Amino acid sequence: EKGGYKHFMAKEIAEQPVVLADALRHYLPETGLNLPDDLDFSNIDRIVLIACGTAHYACAVAKYWFEEFARIPVEIDVASEFRYREPPLSKRSLAVFVSQSGETADTLAALRYCSERVAKTVAVVNVPTSSIARETDIMLPIFAGVEVGVASTKAFTAQLLVLAVMALKAGRDRGETDAATLAAHAETLRALPGLLNQALAISEPISHLAEQLAEAQDILFLGRGAMYPLALEGALKLKEISYIHAEGYASGELKHGPIALIDRTVPVIVMAPHDKLFDKTVSNMQEVMARHGMVLLISDSKGISAAQDGTWGTLHLPDIAEPFAPILYAVPAQLLAYHTAVAKGTDVDQPRNLAKSVTVE
Ligand code: F6R
């Protein structure tokens, strides 16, 4: 069942190129964007993205895309906060619920709160027969196939892909992204299966770093812009399966508190493609190195050659156009958690205290 892999998680990480190819065939065929016509962004004035855990981080990435491509205000929240604060909504809001299982109790309750209060509800789910899928107006399957590992991996990248295609449609519907830019973004998304395949090659260098990471008490993940939610996801994944305390921070927040934690025993994982914010991130890295923190830089060729001096390690990913880097950088985030957990000898597929589907509140 594990197809030659030691764990379902390893198999599911490796499946991502195929999963994304399947989702792309459906949502982004050669003929263009394929989303239901009633998923119309032209007459709404706000998007609300609701989920829990890893699915929430997918929403947090998507917020950057919707804002950039469609210039529409986006609110994100975890379902357990959203539902109890009973936020004001309007018939000009579109509410999107992202859930692998489609059964998460808080997400379902948030959906029920929204149902009569917004223009339309949309589900981005892996299980098309699930409660969340059935109770929304529009259901968009992510085509990830069964995910067995408790730590979500391929569902995350598939959620990101579907949200990216939605954001492109929002940009088109609202006339905020021109045809040439849309076509360029579509090409980048279509290149993802190949890029993810290349990215999987860093499994090997990561496995060599894992023994040392497994010794750490605390690990920090840093990212800027749409890479910030990836830092949160990297930290969550690591906590879940290796039981090492990890935190994700927006790089710019470092000096507002977490820098106090840095000493020579603290690995700081910096997820930073060579984008327009790269120089800012380099100065954050230098602040860490000046305090003898162990910087692990995950970047592309340009980023690594510009900033590898003084780092503890580097991991090299292929180049990808700026907005979609988070989809590619999910791979090292997942593999860092995986190999660290393997080095520690924890139960990777069934981590303690966690359930695959959280149907209690
Ligand atoms: C993290 C993880 C959880 C889930 C969360 C939401 O690896 O698996 O954080 O993402 O419980 O679950 P779904 O997506 O089924 O609603």
Side-chain angles (χ1 to χ4, degrees), residues 63-341:
K63 177 183 166 80
Y64 290 86
W65 293 333
F66 281 108
E67 289 184 351
E68 178 181 340
F69 305 154
R71 308 302 305 156
I72 186 166
V74 176
E75 175 185 342
I76 53 167
D77 206 348
V78 290
S80 57
E81 286 301 312
F82 180 85
R83 61 178 289 202
Y84 293 117
R85 74 187 160 84
E86 301 185 353
L89 293 166
S90 88
K91 288 284 183 189
R92 288 173 63 84
S93 303
L94 183 85
V96 183
F97 302 85
V98 182
S99 175
Q100 188 284 129
S101 63
E103 300 296 347
T104 299
D106 283 318
T107 310
L108 182 58
L111 160 62
R112 289 180 178 155
Y113 174 78
C114 288
S115 287
E116 300 300 315
R117 294 181 170 89
V118 298
K120 258 198 183 96
T121 58
V122 183
V124 176
V125 287
N126 198 27
V127 183
T129 52
S130 59
S131 305
I132 291 170
R134 281 185 276 114
E135 291 191 32
T136 39
D137 301 316
I138 299 174
M139 190 267 289
L140 304 175
I142 61 172
F143 300 107
V146 177
E147 191 179 64
V148 178
V150 164
S152 187
T153 53
K154 61 179 179 173
F156 177 65
T157 43
Q159 286 160 353
L160 286 174
L161 179 76
V162 175
L163 290 163
V165 176
M166 286 171 71
L168 292 181
K169 180 163 195 307
R172 191 180 68 187
D173 288 353
R174 301 174 72 79
E176 292 287 349
T177 299
D178 61 54
T181 309
L182 277 176
H185 285 331
E187 273 323 295
T188 304
L189 292 176
R190 290 195 185 101
L192 272 167
L195 293 172
L196 287 166
N197 246 326
Q198 289 180 48
L200 287 168
I202 59 167
S203 188
E204 155 119 24
I206 289 179
S207 69
H208 297 309
L209 301 172
E211 293 289 335
Q212 256 182 291
L213 291 172
E215 312 253 293
Q217 295 283 320
D218 306 281
I219 298 183
L220 292 182
F221 286 78
L222 301 180
R224 269 181 193 271
M227 296 300 297
Y228 164 42
L230 254 285
L232 298 172
E233 169 64 1
L236 176 66
K237 215 91 301 174
L238 192 85
K239 275 184 274 215
E240 285 184 294
I241 61 168
S242 76
Y243 316 142
I244 294 172
H245 173 244
E247 299 276 350
Y249 275 97
S251 307
E253 277 290 291
L254 187 68
K255 55 171 84 60
H256 299 285
I259 199 163
L261 294 173
I262 307 290
D263 65 21
R264 51 184 85 247
T265 68
V266 180
V268 180
I269 298 170
V270 180
M271 311 183 79
H274 194 276
D275 58 17
K276 57 181 179 293
L277 302 172
F278 188 74
D279 290 346
K280 306 264 176 215
T281 302
V282 172
S283 59
N284 300 133
M285 277 170 49
Q286 282 159 350
E287 288 158 5
V288 172
M289 293 186 298
R291 287 154 188 88
H292 310 287
M294 302 157 66
V295 171
L296 174 60
L297 172 63
I298 310 179
S299 188
D300 44 34
S301 313
K302 237 176 160 177
I304 287 174
S305 56
Q308 65 187 332
D309 289 354
T311 57
W312 168 64
T314 57
L315 292 169
H316 181 200
L317 285 180
D319 292 339
I320 180 165
E322 208 163 304
F324 301 122
I327 306 181
L328 191 61
Y329 283 63
V331 171
Q334 296 161 352
L335 287 169
L336 281 162
Y338 176 74
H339 286 295
T340 304

